[in-house]
Amino acid sequence: MSSCGPSLVGNDGRRGDWKWAILGNRILIVDDKPDICSTMCAYMALAGFAPESVSSAEEALEHLRRAEVDIVITDIMLPGLGGLDLTRQIKKEHLADVIVMTGHSDNFSYEGAISIGASDFVVKPVRLEELLLRVRRVLRERELTEERNRMMEKLQTLAITDGLTGLYNSRHFYTQLESEVDRSSRYRHPLAMLLIDIDHFKEFNDTYGHLEGDKVLARFSQVLKSCLRTNDSAYRYGGEEFTVLLPETGAEEARTVAQRIRTALEMESFSPEPSRAVSKTISIGVTEYQPGEATTAFINRADAAMYLSKQNGRNRVSVLHADAVPRTEPAR
């Protein structure tokens, strides 16, 4: 392997290799003709890239296993593994783009190279100015693709997230519930649900205004997340109601989690008016999924358990089994 860029002098006076000078523009040239490699490397280095070269596909694959490369420029005709087979393997195993070169324009087509994953195709003898334009175009398209993917991920996240609380929204709750129920049934692991309602929230909003109510919702969401494990998930179900899915958790363990959440919020203090501290409480319903039951039955039972907490004085946890007498735990 040959590193063919000039050295640079850093701010600290030490000389550094060119390949570290411009992160993200790393080029690997694959050609068995040393003069071609040398000329291309020198030109790409002067254009501000970080070029290196190897003389075979096997060396290229070894280099890619050890270092990140943005673009591979490869000849089709190579000793051993050919350039097209190299391109196929790169696209299967690495993220680098590939520009294919050939001196045999009649035997290889642009369409053929693109169909196996190449980003572009050039015919030898290569005009270096043209190659540079193609490299820059490939990098620009790569950047645009990455930006588009980031935007899509952001939009997908926004689509399942409640804007005020940062929790998942009710739409995602139903999707995730189906997934967790399926997993619970397949592996025969327990699955518990909490349904939570903030007590007297309407009166709080009517007294202090919706902005102060929003502060309570946002703070409670933070408290809620702090009480959960990594594989648990919390959702804003609607208004002042929240749900929590607890995979691999039975009803009794879920009751303990619910009490932890209830106690944590009770210890919080809100100041909707100057010199006025207000505490808020929650009523929680707990239930465990019964194999084979409909998800609506599962949700309705959690809802019924939460209303038991309301009916019995609020600020408490109620556990409701599918085949047992309701159990309510008062505030302590």
Side-chain angles (χ1 to χ4, degrees):
M1 182 185 70
S2 172
S3 177
C4 31
S7 296
L8 292 180
V9 178
N11 292 332
D12 57 359
R14 293 182 298 178
R15 300 185 73 81
D17 195 297
W18 175 266
K19 67 181 179 180
W20 303 115
I22 303 179
L23 186 63
N25 291 3
R26 297 155 296 192
I27 295 175
L28 180 64
I29 298 166
V30 189
D31 199 302
D32 60 339
K33 297 178 177 59
D35 56 332
I36 291 178
C37 286
S38 177
T39 301
M40 285 188 178
C41 273
Y43 189 82
M44 289 297 166
L46 288 172
F49 292 92
E52 294 186 277
S53 67
V54 294
S55 60
S56 70
E58 289 78 9
E59 287 182 85
L61 292 171
E62 178 61 28
H63 178 80
L64 286 164
R65 281 189 282 269
R66 292 185 288 102
E68 293 291 332
V69 172
D70 297 294
I71 296 181
V72 175
I73 303 172
T74 181
D75 192 8
I76 284 183
M77 303 300 293
L78 294 169
L81 189 70
L84 293 180
D85 289 330
L86 171 62
T87 299
R88 289 190 187 94
Q89 198 156 337
I90 288 173
K91 300 315 292 184
K92 285 181 181 178
E93 301 175 3
H94 303 280
L95 298 176
D97 286 288
V98 181
I99 296 176
V100 172
M101 303 183 295
T102 181
H104 304 273
S105 58
D106 293 335
N107 298 328
F108 302 99
S109 69
Y110 175 86
E111 291 80 5
I114 298 301
S115 69
I116 63 170
S119 299
D120 211 336
F121 179 91
V122 294
V123 178
K124 289 182 173 180
V126 177
R127 292 180 60 251
L128 295 176
E129 295 84 355
E130 177 188 354
L131 181 61
L132 178 60
L133 289 174
R134 291 175 183 265
V135 165
R136 286 174 172 166
R137 181 190 62 78
V138 169
L139 286 172
R140 186 164 57 251
E141 289 183 356
R142 179 187 182 128
E143 183 180 354
L144 290 172
T145 298
E146 290 174 352
E147 179 63 24
R148 183 166 59 249
N149 290 340
R150 286 192 293 268
M151 287 297 297
M152 288 301 298
E153 289 176 5
K154 184 175 181 180
L155 289 173
Q156 289 170 356
T157 300
L158 289 173
I160 62 174
T161 303
D162 176 66
L164 174 63
T165 63
L167 300 179
Y168 293 123
N169 58 26
S170 60
R171 182 190 302 116
H172 190 55
F173 165 72
Y174 288 107
T175 301
Q176 194 65 21
L177 177 61
E178 293 288 346
S179 176
E180 293 294 352
V181 164
D182 180 68
R183 187 179 297 111
S184 173
S185 301
R186 185 184 307 119
Y187 298 109
R188 298 182 180 179
H189 291 161
L191 171 65
M193 183 191 302
L194 312 182
L195 206 154
I196 306 168
D197 185 87
I198 300 178
D199 297 328
H200 301 297
F201 188 74
K202 183 179 183 303
E203 290 88 336
F204 184 93
N205 264 350
D206 291 344
T207 302
Y208 302 111
H210 289 278
L211 288 178
E212 294 301 324
D214 287 350
K215 292 178 184 178
V216 172
L217 294 173
R219 179 57 189 154
F220 171 63
S221 300
Q222 295 173 343
V223 170
L224 177 58
K225 286 190 288 188
S226 72
C227 294
L228 301 179
R229 305 167 302 181
T230 303
N231 61 332
D232 301 331
S233 52
Y235 309 80
R236 186 181 181 190
Y237 194 52
E240 69 272 25
E241 289 189 336
F242 299 80
T243 54
V244 176
L245 294 177
L246 303 170
E248 300 184 26
T249 305
E252 289 307 306
E253 187 180 353
R255 176 188 59 78
T256 301
V257 176
Q259 284 288 13
R260 184 162 65 243
I261 296 168
R262 185 195 63 78
T263 302
L265 179 64
E266 194 175 28
M267 294 174 63
E268 292 288 321
S269 179
F270 300 92
S271 301
E273 292 179 349
S275 303
R276 181 174 178 80
V278 177
S279 61
K280 295 301 297 174
T281 62
I282 49 177
S283 298
I284 307 178
V286 179
T287 194
E288 182 178 341
Y289 177 72
Q290 298 300 303
E293 74 174 333
T295 55
T296 52
F298 187 28
I299 296 170
N300 289 339
R301 191 165 59 254
D303 191 53
M306 186 270 290
Y307 274 100
L308 279 174
S309 293
K310 294 286 189 185
Q311 293 167 5
N312 287 305
R314 296 180 170 83
N315 190 25
R316 64 194 64 225
V317 174
S318 297
V319 180
L320 187 56
H321 297 279
D323 55 356
V325 176
R327 175 182 171 186
T328 301
E329 294 208 354
R332 296 175 181 173

